[in-house]
Amino acid sequence: MAAVTTVRDVLYRYTFAHAVYERLIVDCSCHPQVARNVVALLLCFDRGTNQVISRLQGMSTTGLDHLVTEASHIIRCLNMRNLLTGPPTPLLSALCQDSRMDDPLFFPVNRDLIVRGVTDLLDGVCTLIFDNRLYHLLRRHQTGLVSRNPELEAPYAGVITTMPEDCRSMFVTFSLGQAVEREEIFSYFREIWGDCIVRVLMEKTTGGAQPMYGRVIFKRKGFVSLLLNGVEHASIFIRGREIWLHEYIPSNNSWNN
């Protein structure tokens, strides 16, 4: 019978990743969302080997800052509708020992795989990696302060966590007279990320008035994280019209389904 993987096993395996996450926040003053995206991106390129992450243990804060800059440029490119060439990533390429990343077409060609890999991680094992409370429990267990803990000994199934819709939604606002159709929003995100949206809701209006706001419900919370990447709002352009996306906060607004 195969041994059961526990939450504690997973936390041990990704101790380096959690340490990097903490360093990005404390030493590099990263926004937590940026730190999560960077670590998930590194783990995606790591392909489960733990080699890239382990190489960061002795890296200087200046080196980590450069790595965050490269990763942020990658994430910005992953969000672009017309991605023709990727950003230069000499440090990440060296860490991954993958010369293919030096090819300007590497990120346009592999965008779907990278985005899917990062969002799977963010909504999967990263829910444990970024849980400071669990790592606090683990440290207490390691020092003998806690002998046994049901949370740490719980089996880990390795499934992607399905977040409530409110957690994977974005509030969309339009300028006066600049609204776009819901199908156009669907098409925009399907073009850059594939099958990533559940549905788009729009404000109910009367008398032929255009909606002023809407709501985009993604299949994964990870898509919201990639789109915002540490900022309060992001903008996209559809037919030359700027659309603003914010973190969704539930209200009693009426929606047109």
Side-chain angles (χ1 to χ4, degrees):
M1 181 181 295
V4 175
T5 299
T6 66
V7 169
R8 182 178 59 202
D9 296 331
V10 176
L11 296 179
Y12 273 129
R13 179 181 177 186
Y14 289 99
T15 297
F16 285 158
H18 182 77
V20 171
Y21 168 67
E22 288 187 320
R23 279 198 66 193
L24 293 179
I25 294 174
V26 176
D27 296 348
C28 301
S29 301
C30 275
H31 186 287
Q33 191 175 61
V34 173
R36 290 193 290 269
N37 288 343
V38 170
V39 172
L41 188 67
L42 293 172
L43 289 172
C44 179
F45 288 126
D46 226 353
R47 299 182 181 89
T49 66
N50 210 32
Q51 293 181 5
V52 176
I53 292 291
S54 62
R55 292 189 184 109
L56 304 182
Q57 292 303 295
M59 182 175 283
S60 67
T61 300
T62 300
L64 283 179
D65 283 333
H66 284 303
L67 189 60
V68 170
T69 299
E70 286 190 6
S72 296
H73 287 161
I74 292 171
I75 291 169
R76 189 176 300 115
C77 285
L78 296 177
N79 294 342
M80 293 173 59
R81 189 172 198 174
N82 299 310
L83 179 58
L84 301 178
T85 62
T89 56
L91 180 55
L92 185 58
S93 176
L95 287 169
C96 295
Q97 298 180 344
D98 190 346
S99 60
R100 295 176 305 164
M101 295 174 66
D102 298 326
D103 187 333
L105 296 179
F106 176 82
F107 290 102
V109 170
N110 294 284
R111 170 162 57 182
D112 288 350
L113 288 175
I114 296 170
V115 169
R116 196 62 54 185
V118 171
T119 53
D120 281 354
L121 284 163
L122 286 172
D123 290 352
V125 71
C126 283
T127 59
L128 299 185
I129 296 172
F130 303 141
D131 193 325
N132 291 326
R133 184 185 60 82
L134 285 177
Y135 271 96
H136 176 69
L137 283 177
L138 181 64
R139 284 191 286 269
R140 294 187 67 193
H141 170 77
Q142 290 172 314
T143 56
L145 295 175
V146 175
S147 57
R148 299 188 65 180
N149 183 277
E151 233 178 326
L152 295 179
E153 295 178 3
Y156 176 70
V159 297
I160 305 297
T161 304
T162 301
M163 303 291 184
E165 284 192 350
D166 287 351
C167 295
R168 46 189 166 92
S169 295
M170 297 200 75
F171 188 67
V172 184
T173 55
F174 314 107
S175 297
L176 183 63
Q178 297 294 305
V180 299
E181 299 293 331
R182 73 176 71 200
E183 290 78 12
E184 294 177 303
I185 297 176
F186 258 111
S187 296
Y188 179 92
F189 285 107
R190 281 176 174 165
E191 184 177 331
I192 64 171
W193 289 336
D195 185 18
C196 64
I197 289 183
V198 176
R199 62 184 179 276
V200 177
L201 307 178
M202 304 291 275
E203 176 195 14
K204 289 182 178 179
T205 60
T206 58
Q210 289 190 345
M212 293 294 294
Y213 58 84
R215 176 184 175 189
V216 179
I217 304 170
F218 290 97
K219 290 192 172 182
R220 302 272 178 82
K221 184 179 180 180
F223 291 116
V224 176
S225 182
L226 286 180
L227 192 59
L228 289 177
N229 198 36
V231 299
E232 290 185 5
H233 55 259
S235 66
I236 61 175
F237 287 87
I238 299 178
R239 286 192 292 112
R241 299 181 174 187
E242 190 170 22
I243 299 166
W244 294 92
L245 297 104
H246 314 252
E247 181 181 358
Y248 176 72
I249 299 176
S251 67
N252 294 322
N253 290 325
S254 297
W255 302 97
N256 179 6
N257 294 316

